Amino acid sequence: MTHTRWLRTLIERLLAARLRRELRGLPTPAHLGLIMDGNRRWARSVGVDDIRFGHRAGAEHLDRVLTWCAQAGICAVSVYVLSADNIAKRDDAQVTFLFHLLETLILDRLRRPDGLWELHVAGNLDLVPDATARALKEAVDATRGRPRRLTLAVGYDPYGDVVDAVRQVLWEGADRGDSADDVARTLEPEAIDARVAAPDDDIDLIIRTSGERRLSGYFPWRSVRAELLFCDVYWPGFRELDLLRALRTYGRRARPARSRL
C-alpha cells in the first residue's frame, strides 16, 4: 500500500468512526433499497474498456455492502439486479454475462454457511435462463430462516407487478361470485399490498449510485414513502463512508414511525 493510499484509508476510517458516533440515537432504516448503478462507467473511469470488468466488480461489491448494512443494524435490503426491461433491451452477450455473475458469484456468496441473509426473489423467472432460475430457487431454500432479509429484483416489471396484484383481486372476487362492481366498491389498498411481489414491507430509504436522479421502476408500491438519496459515486466505488453518510441523512430526515399504508 502506497503512503498516499494508506493515509486516505486512515482518514476514511476516522471519518467512519465519527459518523457511527453521530448515528447513535438517530433512526435507522429497517428496510434499505439499493439501485446499483454505474458499473460500466466505473470500468471506463479506471481505464478498462471491457464492461464485464465493471459488472464483475459491482457484483463482488454487493457482498461487501451487505456486510456494512448488517453492521449498521439494517434488517432488510432490496436490490435491483435486472428488470424485465433490462433483459429485453440490453445486448444479449451482456445479459448472459450478468446471469453468469448472478449464478456463480452473488448466489455462491449468499449460500455460504455463515451467511446472514435470507434470500427472496421478486420478478418473473420465466424471463431468465433455466440454470439461473434453478440457482435462485436453490439459494432461496439454502438461506431460509436466516435473521436478515435480502430481496433481489430479477426480471422485475414494475407495471406488471401492480397489474398482476389487481388481477388477482379480480379473479378471487370472481371465484367468490362477486361482480366487478362489487370488487371495485370494496377494493382497499391492503388487498393490493398483500399481493404485490416481494419485498413484503415498505422501503424506508433508497440509495441510487452513479449520480442518476430517477427510480427506474424500482418497486413502486413499496417505495411510495421512501426517502431518496442519490449518490454521485459509481457502484463499485461506493464506500462504507458513503453508506454511513446516507444513514445520517436518513436519520435526520426521518419522520415519526409510519404505518405501512
PDB file of all heavy atoms in Angstrom, residues 129-163:
ATOM      1  N   PRO A 129     -32.705 -17.598 -17.851  1.00  0.00           N
ATOM      2  CA  PRO A 129     -32.345 -18.962 -18.247  1.00  0.00           C
ATOM      3  C   PRO A 129     -32.705 -19.971 -17.158  1.00  0.00           C
ATOM      4  O   PRO A 129     -32.723 -19.645 -15.966  1.00  0.00           O
ATOM      5  CB  PRO A 129     -30.823 -18.878 -18.449  1.00  0.00           C
ATOM      6  CG  PRO A 129     -30.543 -17.435 -18.691  1.00  0.00           C
ATOM      7  CD  PRO A 129     -31.545 -16.676 -17.891  1.00  0.00           C
ATOM      8  N   ASP A 130     -32.946 -21.200 -17.582  1.00  0.00           N
ATOM      9  CA  ASP A 130     -33.323 -22.247 -16.627  1.00  0.00           C
ATOM     10  C   ASP A 130     -32.274 -22.418 -15.530  1.00  0.00           C
ATOM     11  O   ASP A 130     -32.617 -22.611 -14.359  1.00  0.00           O
ATOM     12  CB  ASP A 130     -33.526 -23.578 -17.352  1.00  0.00           C
ATOM     13  CG  ASP A 130     -34.761 -23.588 -18.239  1.00  0.00           C
ATOM     14  OD1 ASP A 130     -35.622 -22.699 -18.049  1.00  0.00           O
ATOM     15  OD2 ASP A 130     -34.869 -24.468 -19.110  1.00  0.00           O
ATOM     16  N   ALA A 131     -31.006 -22.370 -15.904  1.00  0.00           N
ATOM     17  CA  ALA A 131     -29.942 -22.560 -14.917  1.00  0.00           C
ATOM     18  C   ALA A 131     -29.967 -21.455 -13.859  1.00  0.00           C
ATOM     19  O   ALA A 131     -29.747 -21.708 -12.670  1.00  0.00           O
ATOM     20  CB  ALA A 131     -28.579 -22.604 -15.611  1.00  0.00           C
ATOM     21  N   THR A 132     -30.239 -20.218 -14.293  1.00  0.00           N
ATOM     22  CA  THR A 132     -30.305 -19.099 -13.357  1.00  0.00           C
ATOM     23  C   THR A 132     -31.504 -19.240 -12.440  1.00  0.00           C
ATOM     24  O   THR A 132     -31.406 -19.027 -11.221  1.00  0.00           O
ATOM     25  CB  THR A 132     -30.367 -17.768 -14.116  1.00  0.00           C
ATOM     26  OG1 THR A 132     -29.265 -17.673 -15.017  1.00  0.00           O
ATOM     27  CG2 THR A 132     -30.331 -16.595 -13.155  1.00  0.00           C
ATOM     28  N   ALA A 133     -32.658 -19.583 -13.011  1.00  0.00           N
ATOM     29  CA  ALA A 133     -33.866 -19.763 -12.198  1.00  0.00           C
ATOM     30  C   ALA A 133     -33.656 -20.865 -11.170  1.00  0.00           C
ATOM     31  O   ALA A 133     -34.050 -20.725 -10.000  1.00  0.00           O
ATOM     32  CB  ALA A 133     -35.050 -20.093 -13.101  1.00  0.00           C
ATOM     33  N   ARG A 134     -33.027 -21.948 -11.589  1.00  0.00           N
ATOM     34  CA  ARG A 134     -32.773 -23.061 -10.669  1.00  0.00           C
ATOM     35  C   ARG A 134     -31.817 -22.630  -9.553  1.00  0.00           C
ATOM     36  O   ARG A 134     -32.035 -22.953  -8.369  1.00  0.00           O
ATOM     37  CB  ARG A 134     -32.202 -24.243 -11.433  1.00  0.00           C
ATOM     38  CG  ARG A 134     -31.984 -25.491 -10.587  1.00  0.00           C
ATOM     39  CD  ARG A 134     -31.722 -26.704 -11.455  1.00  0.00           C
ATOM     40  NE  ARG A 134     -30.563 -26.519 -12.332  1.00  0.00           N
ATOM     41  CZ  ARG A 134     -30.657 -26.341 -13.654  1.00  0.00           C
ATOM     42  NH1 ARG A 134     -31.832 -26.305 -14.261  1.00  0.00           N
ATOM     43  NH2 ARG A 134     -29.563 -26.187 -14.380  1.00  0.00           N
ATOM     44  N   ALA A 135     -30.769 -21.880  -9.910  1.00  0.00           N
ATOM     45  CA  ALA A 135     -29.813 -21.406  -8.907  1.00  0.00           C
ATOM     46  C   ALA A 135     -30.472 -20.472  -7.905  1.00  0.00           C
ATOM     47  O   ALA A 135     -30.187 -20.521  -6.700  1.00  0.00           O
ATOM     48  CB  ALA A 135     -28.637 -20.712  -9.600  1.00  0.00           C
ATOM     49  N   LEU A 136     -31.367 -19.612  -8.384  1.00  0.00           N
ATOM     50  CA  LEU A 136     -32.083 -18.707  -7.487  1.00  0.00           C
ATOM     51  C   LEU A 136     -32.959 -19.485  -6.511  1.00  0.00           C
ATOM     52  O   LEU A 136     -32.972 -19.211  -5.304  1.00  0.00           O
ATOM     53  CB  LEU A 136     -32.931 -17.729  -8.301  1.00  0.00           C
ATOM     54  CG  LEU A 136     -32.173 -16.596  -8.991  1.00  0.00           C
ATOM     55  CD1 LEU A 136     -33.050 -15.925 -10.040  1.00  0.00           C
ATOM     56  CD2 LEU A 136     -31.696 -15.558  -7.968  1.00  0.00           C
ATOM     57  N   LYS A 137     -33.694 -20.457  -7.020  1.00  0.00           N
ATOM     58  CA  LYS A 137     -34.574 -21.248  -6.155  1.00  0.00           C
ATOM     59  C   LYS A 137     -33.774 -22.039  -5.126  1.00  0.00           C
ATOM     60  O   LYS A 137     -34.179 -22.150  -3.960  1.00  0.00           O
ATOM     61  CB  LYS A 137     -35.434 -22.175  -7.011  1.00  0.00           C
ATOM     62  CG  LYS A 137     -36.459 -21.438  -7.864  1.00  0.00           C
ATOM     63  CD  LYS A 137     -37.164 -22.367  -8.849  1.00  0.00           C
ATOM     64  CE  LYS A 137     -38.121 -21.603  -9.753  1.00  0.00           C
ATOM     65  NZ  LYS A 137     -38.747 -22.487 -10.776  1.00  0.00           N
ATOM     66  N   GLU A 138     -32.641 -22.589  -5.544  1.00  0.00           N
ATOM     67  CA  GLU A 138     -31.795 -23.332  -4.615  1.00  0.00           C
ATOM     68  C   GLU A 138     -31.231 -22.417  -3.528  1.00  0.00           C
ATOM     69  O   GLU A 138     -31.132 -22.807  -2.357  1.00  0.00           O
ATOM     70  CB  GLU A 138     -30.658 -24.013  -5.377  1.00  0.00           C
ATOM     71  CG  GLU A 138     -31.135 -25.174  -6.248  1.00  0.00           C
ATOM     72  CD  GLU A 138     -30.024 -25.714  -7.146  1.00  0.00           C
ATOM     73  OE1 GLU A 138     -28.927 -25.115  -7.161  1.00  0.00           O
ATOM     74  OE2 GLU A 138     -30.264 -26.737  -7.835  1.00  0.00           O
ATOM     75  N   ALA A 139     -30.861 -21.194  -3.909  1.00  0.00           N
ATOM     76  CA  ALA A 139     -30.331 -20.248  -2.930  1.00  0.00           C
ATOM     77  C   ALA A 139     -31.416 -19.805  -1.949  1.00  0.00           C
ATOM     78  O   ALA A 139     -31.150 -19.613  -0.757  1.00  0.00           O
ATOM     79  CB  ALA A 139     -29.728 -19.035  -3.643  1.00  0.00           C
ATOM     80  N   VAL A 140     -32.647 -19.648  -2.438  1.00  0.00           N
ATOM     81  CA  VAL A 140     -33.765 -19.328  -1.543  1.00  0.00           C
ATOM     82  C   VAL A 140     -33.921 -20.424  -0.499  1.00  0.00           C
ATOM     83  O   VAL A 140     -34.058 -20.156   0.704  1.00  0.00           O
ATOM     84  CB  VAL A 140     -35.064 -19.138  -2.357  1.00  0.00           C
ATOM     85  CG1 VAL A 140     -36.284 -19.118  -1.429  1.00  0.00           C
ATOM     86  CG2 VAL A 140     -35.004 -17.854  -3.170  1.00  0.00           C
ATOM     87  N   ASP A 141     -33.888 -21.668  -0.935  1.00  0.00           N
ATOM     88  CA  ASP A 141     -34.020 -22.796   0.001  1.00  0.00           C
ATOM     89  C   ASP A 141     -32.848 -22.858   0.975  1.00  0.00           C
ATOM     90  O   ASP A 141     -33.026 -23.097   2.176  1.00  0.00           O
ATOM     91  CB  ASP A 141     -34.110 -24.113  -0.774  1.00  0.00           C
ATOM     92  CG  ASP A 141     -35.419 -24.260  -1.540  1.00  0.00           C
ATOM     93  OD1 ASP A 141     -36.405 -23.585  -1.173  1.00  0.00           O
ATOM     94  OD2 ASP A 141     -35.447 -25.035  -2.518  1.00  0.00           O
ATOM     95  N   ALA A 142     -31.640 -22.633   0.456  1.00  0.00           N
ATOM     96  CA  ALA A 142     -30.436 -22.771   1.280  1.00  0.00           C
ATOM     97  C   ALA A 142     -30.328 -21.701   2.352  1.00  0.00           C
ATOM     98  O   ALA A 142     -29.692 -21.920   3.394  1.00  0.00           O
ATOM     99  CB  ALA A 142     -29.192 -22.747   0.396  1.00  0.00           C
ATOM    100  N   THR A 143     -30.928 -20.539   2.126  1.00  0.00           N
ATOM    101  CA  THR A 143     -30.785 -19.419   3.068  1.00  0.00           C
ATOM    102  C   THR A 143     -32.019 -19.222   3.947  1.00  0.00           C
ATOM    103  O   THR A 143     -32.049 -18.297   4.762  1.00  0.00           O
ATOM    104  CB  THR A 143     -30.520 -18.107   2.302  1.00  0.00           C
ATOM    105  OG1 THR A 143     -31.613 -17.846   1.398  1.00  0.00           O
ATOM    106  CG2 THR A 143     -29.225 -18.198   1.493  1.00  0.00           C
ATOM    107  N   ARG A 144     -33.006 -20.077   3.816  1.00  0.00           N
ATOM    108  CA  ARG A 144     -34.253 -19.904   4.576  1.00  0.00           C
ATOM    109  C   ARG A 144     -33.987 -19.935   6.086  1.00  0.00           C
ATOM    110  O   ARG A 144     -33.234 -20.770   6.577  1.00  0.00           O
ATOM    111  CB  ARG A 144     -35.258 -20.976   4.182  1.00  0.00           C
ATOM    112  CG  ARG A 144     -36.649 -20.764   4.789  1.00  0.00           C
ATOM    113  CD  ARG A 144     -37.683 -21.684   4.182  1.00  0.00           C
ATOM    114  NE  ARG A 144     -38.031 -21.265   2.822  1.00  0.00           N
ATOM    115  CZ  ARG A 144     -37.810 -21.983   1.743  1.00  0.00           C
ATOM    116  NH1 ARG A 144     -37.220 -23.165   1.835  1.00  0.00           N
ATOM    117  NH2 ARG A 144     -38.175 -21.534   0.550  1.00  0.00           N
ATOM    118  N   GLY A 145     -34.618 -18.990   6.793  1.00  0.00           N
ATOM    119  CA  GLY A 145     -34.510 -18.950   8.248  1.00  0.00           C
ATOM    120  C   GLY A 145     -33.418 -18.053   8.793  1.00  0.00           C
ATOM    121  O   GLY A 145     -33.264 -17.926  10.008  1.00  0.00           O
ATOM    122  N   ARG A 146     -32.660 -17.409   7.914  1.00  0.00           N
ATOM    123  CA  ARG A 146     -31.606 -16.515   8.390  1.00  0.00           C
ATOM    124  C   ARG A 146     -32.193 -15.209   8.926  1.00  0.00           C
ATOM    125  O   ARG A 146     -33.318 -14.839   8.588  1.00  0.00           O
ATOM    126  CB  ARG A 146     -30.605 -16.242   7.255  1.00  0.00           C
ATOM    127  CG  ARG A 146     -29.791 -17.490   6.904  1.00  0.00           C
ATOM    128  CD  ARG A 146     -28.809 -17.213   5.796  1.00  0.00           C
ATOM    129  NE  ARG A 146     -27.983 -18.380   5.511  1.00  0.00           N
ATOM    130  CZ  ARG A 146     -27.065 -18.424   4.559  1.00  0.00           C
ATOM    131  NH1 ARG A 146     -26.865 -17.355   3.783  1.00  0.00           N
ATOM    132  NH2 ARG A 146     -26.350 -19.515   4.359  1.00  0.00           N
ATOM    133  N   PRO A 147     -31.443 -14.480   9.761  1.00  0.00           N
ATOM    134  CA  PRO A 147     -32.038 -13.351  10.501  1.00  0.00           C
ATOM    135  C   PRO A 147     -32.310 -12.089   9.696  1.00  0.00           C
ATOM    136  O   PRO A 147     -33.130 -11.264  10.104  1.00  0.00           O
ATOM    137  CB  PRO A 147     -31.000 -13.069  11.588  1.00  0.00           C
ATOM    138  CG  PRO A 147     -29.707 -13.574  11.035  1.00  0.00           C
ATOM    139  CD  PRO A 147     -30.071 -14.776  10.213  1.00  0.00           C
ATOM    140  N   ARG A 148     -31.656 -11.895   8.560  1.00  0.00           N
ATOM    141  CA  ARG A 148     -31.855 -10.689   7.762  1.00  0.00           C
ATOM    142  C   ARG A 148     -32.366 -11.071   6.374  1.00  0.00           C
ATOM    143  O   ARG A 148     -32.092 -12.159   5.897  1.00  0.00           O
ATOM    144  CB  ARG A 148     -30.553  -9.873   7.663  1.00  0.00           C
ATOM    145  CG  ARG A 148     -30.026  -9.466   9.030  1.00  0.00           C
ATOM    146  CD  ARG A 148     -28.731  -8.693   8.966  1.00  0.00           C
ATOM    147  NE  ARG A 148     -28.174  -8.528  10.296  1.00  0.00           N
ATOM    148  CZ  ARG A 148     -28.499  -7.546  11.140  1.00  0.00           C
ATOM    149  NH1 ARG A 148     -29.394  -6.637  10.765  1.00  0.00           N
ATOM    150  NH2 ARG A 148     -27.965  -7.472  12.337  1.00  0.00           N
ATOM    151  N   ARG A 149     -33.109 -10.160   5.766  1.00  0.00           N
ATOM    152  CA  ARG A 149     -33.802 -10.485   4.516  1.00  0.00           C
ATOM    153  C   ARG A 149     -33.229  -9.678   3.351  1.00  0.00           C
ATOM    154  O   ARG A 149     -33.132  -8.454   3.413  1.00  0.00           O
ATOM    155  CB  ARG A 149     -35.298 -10.186   4.661  1.00  0.00           C
ATOM    156  CG  ARG A 149     -36.135 -10.657   3.473  1.00  0.00           C
ATOM    157  CD  ARG A 149     -37.621 -10.437   3.708  1.00  0.00           C
ATOM    158  NE  ARG A 149     -37.979  -9.027   3.635  1.00  0.00           N
ATOM    159  CZ  ARG A 149     -38.316  -8.281   4.685  1.00  0.00           C
ATOM    160  NH1 ARG A 149     -38.334  -8.808   5.894  1.00  0.00           N
ATOM    161  NH2 ARG A 149     -38.639  -7.008   4.546  1.00  0.00           N
ATOM    162  N   LEU A 150     -32.865 -10.400   2.297  1.00  0.00           N
ATOM    163  CA  LEU A 150     -32.363  -9.785   1.074  1.00  0.00           C
ATOM    164  C   LEU A 150     -33.295 -10.142  -0.075  1.00  0.00           C
ATOM    165  O   LEU A 150     -33.527 -11.326  -0.340  1.00  0.00           O
ATOM    166  CB  LEU A 150     -30.948 -10.280   0.758  1.00  0.00           C
ATOM    167  CG  LEU A 150     -30.378  -9.863  -0.606  1.00  0.00           C
ATOM    168  CD1 LEU A 150     -30.149  -8.349  -0.648  1.00  0.00           C
ATOM    169  CD2 LEU A 150     -29.085 -10.618  -0.903  1.00  0.00           C
ATOM    170  N   THR A 151     -33.815  -9.136  -0.749  1.00  0.00           N
ATOM    171  CA  THR A 151     -34.652  -9.348  -1.927  1.00  0.00           C
ATOM    172  C   THR A 151     -33.895  -8.896  -3.168  1.00  0.00           C
ATOM    173  O   THR A 151     -33.409  -7.768  -3.234  1.00  0.00           O
ATOM    174  CB  THR A 151     -35.971  -8.561  -1.818  1.00  0.00           C
ATOM    175  OG1 THR A 151     -36.689  -8.995  -0.658  1.00  0.00           O
ATOM    176  CG2 THR A 151     -36.835  -8.787  -3.055  1.00  0.00           C
ATOM    177  N   LEU A 152     -33.773  -9.788  -4.140  1.00  0.00           N
ATOM    178  CA  LEU A 152     -33.157  -9.459  -5.420  1.00  0.00           C
ATOM    179  C   LEU A 152     -34.247  -9.326  -6.468  1.00  0.00           C
ATOM    180  O   LEU A 152     -35.047 -10.248  -6.654  1.00  0.00           O
ATOM    181  CB  LEU A 152     -32.171 -10.548  -5.847  1.00  0.00           C
ATOM    182  CG  LEU A 152     -30.968 -10.803  -4.941  1.00  0.00           C
ATOM    183  CD1 LEU A 152     -30.081 -11.886  -5.547  1.00  0.00           C
ATOM    184  CD2 LEU A 152     -30.160  -9.529  -4.708  1.00  0.00           C
ATOM    185  N   ALA A 153     -34.291  -8.203  -7.152  1.00  0.00           N
ATOM    186  CA  ALA A 153     -35.235  -7.997  -8.250  1.00  0.00           C
ATOM    187  C   ALA A 153     -34.590  -8.503  -9.531  1.00  0.00           C
ATOM    188  O   ALA A 153     -33.622  -7.925 -10.025  1.00  0.00           O
ATOM    189  CB  ALA A 153     -35.599  -6.515  -8.377  1.00  0.00           C
ATOM    190  N   VAL A 154     -35.108  -9.605 -10.054  1.00  0.00           N
ATOM    191  CA  VAL A 154     -34.576 -10.230 -11.268  1.00  0.00           C
ATOM    192  C   VAL A 154     -35.751 -10.486 -12.207  1.00  0.00           C
ATOM    193  O   VAL A 154     -36.676 -11.214 -11.864  1.00  0.00           O
ATOM    194  CB  VAL A 154     -33.862 -11.555 -10.951  1.00  0.00           C
ATOM    195  CG1 VAL A 154     -33.275 -12.157 -12.231  1.00  0.00           C
ATOM    196  CG2 VAL A 154     -32.781 -11.367  -9.891  1.00  0.00           C
ATOM    197  N   GLY A 155     -35.722  -9.866 -13.398  1.00  0.00           N
ATOM    198  CA  GLY A 155     -36.858  -9.990 -14.298  1.00  0.00           C
ATOM    199  C   GLY A 155     -38.090  -9.286 -13.758  1.00  0.00           C
ATOM    200  O   GLY A 155     -39.225  -9.686 -14.026  1.00  0.00           O
ATOM    201  N   TYR A 156     -37.856  -8.197 -13.021  1.00  0.00           N
ATOM    202  CA  TYR A 156     -38.954  -7.480 -12.359  1.00  0.00           C
ATOM    203  C   TYR A 156     -39.569  -6.442 -13.286  1.00  0.00           C
ATOM    204  O   TYR A 156     -38.859  -5.666 -13.921  1.00  0.00           O
ATOM    205  CB  TYR A 156     -38.439  -6.801 -11.086  1.00  0.00           C
ATOM    206  CG  TYR A 156     -39.500  -6.006 -10.359  1.00  0.00           C
ATOM    207  CD1 TYR A 156     -40.472  -6.640  -9.601  1.00  0.00           C
ATOM    208  CD2 TYR A 156     -39.528  -4.615 -10.451  1.00  0.00           C
ATOM    209  CE1 TYR A 156     -41.450  -5.919  -8.945  1.00  0.00           C
ATOM    210  CE2 TYR A 156     -40.497  -3.883  -9.800  1.00  0.00           C
ATOM    211  CZ  TYR A 156     -41.458  -4.532  -9.046  1.00  0.00           C
ATOM    212  OH  TYR A 156     -42.438  -3.809  -8.396  1.00  0.00           O
ATOM    213  N   ASP A 157     -40.901  -6.424 -13.353  1.00  0.00           N
ATOM    214  CA  ASP A 157     -41.661  -5.473 -14.174  1.00  0.00           C
ATOM    215  C   ASP A 157     -42.533  -4.638 -13.251  1.00  0.00           C
ATOM    216  O   ASP A 157     -43.501  -5.147 -12.683  1.00  0.00           O
ATOM    217  CB  ASP A 157     -42.528  -6.236 -15.180  1.00  0.00           C
ATOM    218  CG  ASP A 157     -43.424  -5.319 -16.013  1.00  0.00           C
ATOM    219  OD1 ASP A 157     -43.342  -4.081 -15.853  1.00  0.00           O
ATOM    220  OD2 ASP A 157     -44.217  -5.847 -16.811  1.00  0.00           O
ATOM    221  N   PRO A 158     -42.215  -3.360 -13.038  1.00  0.00           N
ATOM    222  CA  PRO A 158     -42.973  -2.564 -12.070  1.00  0.00           C
ATOM    223  C   PRO A 158     -44.440  -2.395 -12.424  1.00  0.00           C
ATOM    224  O   PRO A 158     -45.300  -2.408 -11.540  1.00  0.00           O
ATOM    225  CB  PRO A 158     -42.242  -1.211 -12.079  1.00  0.00           C
ATOM    226  CG  PRO A 158     -41.512  -1.173 -13.386  1.00  0.00           C
ATOM    227  CD  PRO A 158     -41.142  -2.584 -13.679  1.00  0.00           C
ATOM    228  N   TYR A 159     -44.744  -2.246 -13.723  1.00  0.00           N
ATOM    229  CA  TYR A 159     -46.148  -2.124 -14.121  1.00  0.00           C
ATOM    230  C   TYR A 159     -46.859  -3.465 -13.943  1.00  0.00           C
ATOM    231  O   TYR A 159     -47.962  -3.546 -13.400  1.00  0.00           O
ATOM    232  CB  TYR A 159     -46.248  -1.675 -15.575  1.00  0.00           C
ATOM    233  CG  TYR A 159     -45.648  -0.318 -15.843  1.00  0.00           C
ATOM    234  CD1 TYR A 159     -44.522  -0.178 -16.656  1.00  0.00           C
ATOM    235  CD2 TYR A 159     -46.198   0.837 -15.288  1.00  0.00           C
ATOM    236  CE1 TYR A 159     -43.964   1.064 -16.908  1.00  0.00           C
ATOM    237  CE2 TYR A 159     -45.637   2.081 -15.531  1.00  0.00           C
ATOM    238  CZ  TYR A 159     -44.523   2.189 -16.344  1.00  0.00           C
ATOM    239  OH  TYR A 159     -43.965   3.421 -16.578  1.00  0.00           O
ATOM    240  N   GLY A 160     -46.204  -4.517 -14.414  1.00  0.00           N
ATOM    241  CA  GLY A 160     -46.808  -5.832 -14.315  1.00  0.00           C
ATOM    242  C   GLY A 160     -47.051  -6.260 -12.892  1.00  0.00           C
ATOM    243  O   GLY A 160     -48.030  -6.965 -12.599  1.00  0.00           O
ATOM    244  N   ASP A 161     -46.176  -5.849 -11.978  1.00  0.00           N
ATOM    245  CA  ASP A 161     -46.327  -6.211 -10.572  1.00  0.00           C
ATOM    246  C   ASP A 161     -47.665  -5.720 -10.025  1.00  0.00           C
ATOM    247  O   ASP A 161     -48.442  -6.477  -9.433  1.00  0.00           O
ATOM    248  CB  ASP A 161     -45.166  -5.609  -9.774  1.00  0.00           C
ATOM    249  CG  ASP A 161     -45.152  -6.041  -8.320  1.00  0.00           C
ATOM    250  OD1 ASP A 161     -45.831  -7.034  -7.978  1.00  0.00           O
ATOM    251  OD2 ASP A 161     -44.447  -5.397  -7.525  1.00  0.00           O
ATOM    252  N   VAL A 162     -47.961  -4.437 -10.239  1.00  0.00           N
ATOM    253  CA  VAL A 162     -49.200  -3.865  -9.714  1.00  0.00           C
ATOM    254  C   VAL A 162     -50.416  -4.404 -10.482  1.00  0.00           C
ATOM    255  O   VAL A 162     -51.451  -4.732  -9.885  1.00  0.00           O
ATOM    256  CB  VAL A 162     -49.142  -2.325  -9.770  1.00  0.00           C
ATOM    257  CG1 VAL A 162     -50.447  -1.722  -9.274  1.00  0.00           C
ATOM    258  CG2 VAL A 162     -47.967  -1.812  -8.930  1.00  0.00           C
ATOM    259  N   VAL A 163     -50.281  -4.518 -11.812  1.00  0.00           N
ATOM    260  CA  VAL A 163     -51.397  -5.040 -12.609  1.00  0.00           C
ATOM    261  C   VAL A 163     -51.722  -6.474 -12.201  1.00  0.00           C
ATOM    262  O   VAL A 163     -52.899  -6.842 -12.053  1.00  0.00           O
ATOM    263  CB  VAL A 163     -51.051  -4.974 -14.112  1.00  0.00           C
ATOM    264  CG1 VAL A 163     -52.065  -5.749 -14.935  1.00  0.00           C
ATOM    265  CG2 VAL A 163     -51.007  -3.512 -14.577  1.00  0.00           C
TER     266      VAL A 163
END
